[in-house]
Amino acid sequence: MAVVEVTKSNFDAEVVQAGGPVLVDFWASWCAPCRMMAPVVETFADAHPEIKVCKINIDDESELAVRYKVMSIPTLVVFRGGEVSAKSVGVIGREELEQLVK
């Protein structure tokens, strides 16, 4: 499944109202750790079509970053039923990502 770019205008439809779990990657283009995390997130998305994977650029969507208390990036947040169920800050490997979402 392709990674979905999310903005404040489509956040509710893509994340809050999603039927299943959603993994959201808060990132920025200037962030080297975020660029390291990107292929891990993309590989995860391809391997798990049952999980919606979204990216939020914090430079463009600072309101969403503030709402979910994103202080450092990359920050990965798992939503279930529109609520935060798990969160991870910093670069993690594929195995850790699998555990985060479970």
Side-chain angles (χ1 to χ4, degrees):
M1 178 179 234
V3 176
V4 179
E5 292 289 333
V6 173
T7 64
K8 65 182 175 188
S9 63
N10 69 349
F11 181 81
D12 284 344
E14 295 291 348
V15 179
V16 176
Q17 299 165 1
V22 181
L23 172 66
V24 178
D25 177 11
F26 287 88
W27 71 287
S29 59
W30 49 264
C31 168
C34 297
R35 290 194 302 272
M36 291 171 51
M37 193 72 227
V40 176
V41 171
E42 290 165 14
T43 301
F44 178 86
D46 290 340
H48 294 281
E50 74 282 6
I51 298 170
K52 183 181 275 190
V53 179
C54 302
K55 292 180 81 70
I56 296 177
N57 184 323
I58 65 159
D59 288 334
D60 298 336
E61 303 299 331
S62 59
E63 284 180 38
L64 290 173
V66 169
R67 184 191 311 176
Y68 291 100
K69 298 174 179 57
V70 174
M71 307 300 251
S72 298
I73 51 174
T75 293
L76 300 171
V77 181
V78 179
F79 289 82
R80 292 188 193 301
E83 300 292 324
V84 174
S85 68
K87 191 175 191 178
S88 175
V89 178
V91 175
I92 60 174
R94 175 74 186 266
E95 297 78 24
E96 293 92 347
L97 182 53
E98 296 277 349
Q99 291 302 312
L100 180 71
V101 176
K102 284 187 179 178

PDB file of all heavy atoms in Angstrom, residues 3 28 41 46 61 68 77-79 91 95 100:
ATOM      1  N   VAL A   3       2.213   5.013   0.714  1.00  0.00           N
ATOM      2  CA  VAL A   3       2.217   5.904   1.867  1.00  0.00           C
ATOM      3  C   VAL A   3       1.413   7.153   1.497  1.00  0.00           C
ATOM      4  O   VAL A   3       1.591   7.723   0.427  1.00  0.00           O
ATOM      5  CB  VAL A   3       3.661   6.277   2.267  1.00  0.00           C
ATOM      6  CG1 VAL A   3       3.674   7.282   3.392  1.00  0.00           C
ATOM      7  CG2 VAL A   3       4.444   5.017   2.649  1.00  0.00           C
ATOM      8  N   ALA A  28      10.481  15.697   8.546  1.00  0.00           N
ATOM      9  CA  ALA A  28      10.809  16.942   7.832  1.00  0.00           C
ATOM     10  C   ALA A  28      11.893  16.631   6.804  1.00  0.00           C
ATOM     11  O   ALA A  28      12.720  15.746   7.016  1.00  0.00           O
ATOM     12  CB  ALA A  28      11.297  18.014   8.800  1.00  0.00           C
ATOM     13  N   VAL A  41       9.892   2.772   6.749  1.00  0.00           N
ATOM     14  CA  VAL A  41       8.440   3.008   6.752  1.00  0.00           C
ATOM     15  C   VAL A  41       7.824   2.546   5.434  1.00  0.00           C
ATOM     16  O   VAL A  41       6.775   1.901   5.415  1.00  0.00           O
ATOM     17  CB  VAL A  41       8.129   4.499   7.032  1.00  0.00           C
ATOM     18  CG1 VAL A  41       6.660   4.808   6.820  1.00  0.00           C
ATOM     19  CG2 VAL A  41       8.561   4.867   8.448  1.00  0.00           C
ATOM     20  N   ASP A  46       4.569  -1.467   2.326  1.00  0.00           N
ATOM     21  CA  ASP A  46       4.425  -2.465   1.256  1.00  0.00           C
ATOM     22  C   ASP A  46       4.104  -3.845   1.821  1.00  0.00           C
ATOM     23  O   ASP A  46       3.335  -4.602   1.230  1.00  0.00           O
ATOM     24  CB  ASP A  46       5.702  -2.544   0.416  1.00  0.00           C
ATOM     25  CG  ASP A  46       5.922  -1.295  -0.429  1.00  0.00           C
ATOM     26  OD1 ASP A  46       4.947  -0.546  -0.661  1.00  0.00           O
ATOM     27  OD2 ASP A  46       7.073  -1.068  -0.837  1.00  0.00           O
ATOM     28  N   GLU A  61       2.803  21.192   8.400  1.00  0.00           N
ATOM     29  CA  GLU A  61       1.645  20.888   9.249  1.00  0.00           C
ATOM     30  C   GLU A  61       1.999  21.002  10.731  1.00  0.00           C
ATOM     31  O   GLU A  61       1.821  20.065  11.502  1.00  0.00           O
ATOM     32  CB  GLU A  61       1.119  19.483   8.926  1.00  0.00           C
ATOM     33  CG  GLU A  61       0.744  19.288   7.481  1.00  0.00           C
ATOM     34  CD  GLU A  61      -0.365  20.224   6.999  1.00  0.00           C
ATOM     35  OE1 GLU A  61      -1.220  20.634   7.830  1.00  0.00           O
ATOM     36  OE2 GLU A  61      -0.369  20.555   5.806  1.00  0.00           O
ATOM     37  N   TYR A  68      -0.215  16.601  18.605  1.00  0.00           N
ATOM     38  CA  TYR A  68       0.226  15.275  19.053  1.00  0.00           C
ATOM     39  C   TYR A  68       1.578  15.312  19.776  1.00  0.00           C
ATOM     40  O   TYR A  68       2.223  14.288  19.926  1.00  0.00           O
ATOM     41  CB  TYR A  68       0.203  14.299  17.876  1.00  0.00           C
ATOM     42  CG  TYR A  68      -1.228  14.036  17.490  1.00  0.00           C
ATOM     43  CD1 TYR A  68      -1.809  14.688  16.418  1.00  0.00           C
ATOM     44  CD2 TYR A  68      -2.032  13.224  18.284  1.00  0.00           C
ATOM     45  CE1 TYR A  68      -3.149  14.505  16.111  1.00  0.00           C
ATOM     46  CE2 TYR A  68      -3.371  13.040  17.988  1.00  0.00           C
ATOM     47  CZ  TYR A  68      -3.922  13.680  16.905  1.00  0.00           C
ATOM     48  OH  TYR A  68      -5.256  13.511  16.611  1.00  0.00           O
ATOM     49  N   VAL A  77       3.649   7.487  15.221  1.00  0.00           N
ATOM     50  CA  VAL A  77       2.487   7.386  16.090  1.00  0.00           C
ATOM     51  C   VAL A  77       1.516   6.381  15.479  1.00  0.00           C
ATOM     52  O   VAL A  77       1.204   6.461  14.288  1.00  0.00           O
ATOM     53  CB  VAL A  77       1.790   8.756  16.270  1.00  0.00           C
ATOM     54  CG1 VAL A  77       0.597   8.645  17.192  1.00  0.00           C
ATOM     55  CG2 VAL A  77       2.775   9.797  16.799  1.00  0.00           C
ATOM     56  N   VAL A  78       1.047   5.458  16.303  1.00  0.00           N
ATOM     57  CA  VAL A  78       0.057   4.481  15.856  1.00  0.00           C
ATOM     58  C   VAL A  78      -1.301   4.908  16.399  1.00  0.00           C
ATOM     59  O   VAL A  78      -1.447   5.168  17.598  1.00  0.00           O
ATOM     60  CB  VAL A  78       0.398   3.061  16.351  1.00  0.00           C
ATOM     61  CG1 VAL A  78      -0.663   2.062  15.896  1.00  0.00           C
ATOM     62  CG2 VAL A  78       1.779   2.645  15.858  1.00  0.00           C
ATOM     63  N   PHE A  79      -2.279   4.999  15.499  1.00  0.00           N
ATOM     64  CA  PHE A  79      -3.648   5.337  15.870  1.00  0.00           C
ATOM     65  C   PHE A  79      -4.523   4.108  15.704  1.00  0.00           C
ATOM     66  O   PHE A  79      -4.400   3.382  14.718  1.00  0.00           O
ATOM     67  CB  PHE A  79      -4.198   6.446  14.959  1.00  0.00           C
ATOM     68  CG  PHE A  79      -3.593   7.795  15.195  1.00  0.00           C
ATOM     69  CD1 PHE A  79      -2.374   8.139  14.624  1.00  0.00           C
ATOM     70  CD2 PHE A  79      -4.245   8.737  15.976  1.00  0.00           C
ATOM     71  CE1 PHE A  79      -1.816   9.393  14.830  1.00  0.00           C
ATOM     72  CE2 PHE A  79      -3.697   9.993  16.190  1.00  0.00           C
ATOM     73  CZ  PHE A  79      -2.479  10.318  15.611  1.00  0.00           C
ATOM     74  N   VAL A  91      14.970   7.031  15.207  1.00  0.00           N
ATOM     75  CA  VAL A  91      15.078   5.991  14.183  1.00  0.00           C
ATOM     76  C   VAL A  91      14.966   4.626  14.852  1.00  0.00           C
ATOM     77  O   VAL A  91      15.609   4.366  15.868  1.00  0.00           O
ATOM     78  CB  VAL A  91      16.414   6.098  13.429  1.00  0.00           C
ATOM     79  CG1 VAL A  91      16.580   4.952  12.446  1.00  0.00           C
ATOM     80  CG2 VAL A  91      16.522   7.437  12.713  1.00  0.00           C
ATOM     81  N   GLU A  95      12.115  -4.441  12.865  1.00  0.00           N
ATOM     82  CA  GLU A  95      11.570  -5.284  13.934  1.00  0.00           C
ATOM     83  C   GLU A  95      10.885  -4.437  14.995  1.00  0.00           C
ATOM     84  O   GLU A  95       9.800  -4.769  15.474  1.00  0.00           O
ATOM     85  CB  GLU A  95      12.666  -6.147  14.574  1.00  0.00           C
ATOM     86  CG  GLU A  95      13.308  -7.151  13.632  1.00  0.00           C
ATOM     87  CD  GLU A  95      14.329  -6.520  12.684  1.00  0.00           C
ATOM     88  OE1 GLU A  95      14.891  -5.438  12.995  1.00  0.00           O
ATOM     89  OE2 GLU A  95      14.556  -7.093  11.605  1.00  0.00           O
ATOM     90  N   LEU A 100       5.937  -2.023  17.468  1.00  0.00           N
ATOM     91  CA  LEU A 100       5.203  -0.799  17.783  1.00  0.00           C
ATOM     92  C   LEU A 100       3.761  -0.879  17.306  1.00  0.00           C
ATOM     93  O   LEU A 100       2.844  -0.487  18.016  1.00  0.00           O
ATOM     94  CB  LEU A 100       5.910   0.404  17.141  1.00  0.00           C
ATOM     95  CG  LEU A 100       5.267   1.769  17.367  1.00  0.00           C
ATOM     96  CD1 LEU A 100       5.444   2.201  18.823  1.00  0.00           C
ATOM     97  CD2 LEU A 100       5.873   2.803  16.432  1.00  0.00           C
TER      98      LEU A 100
END
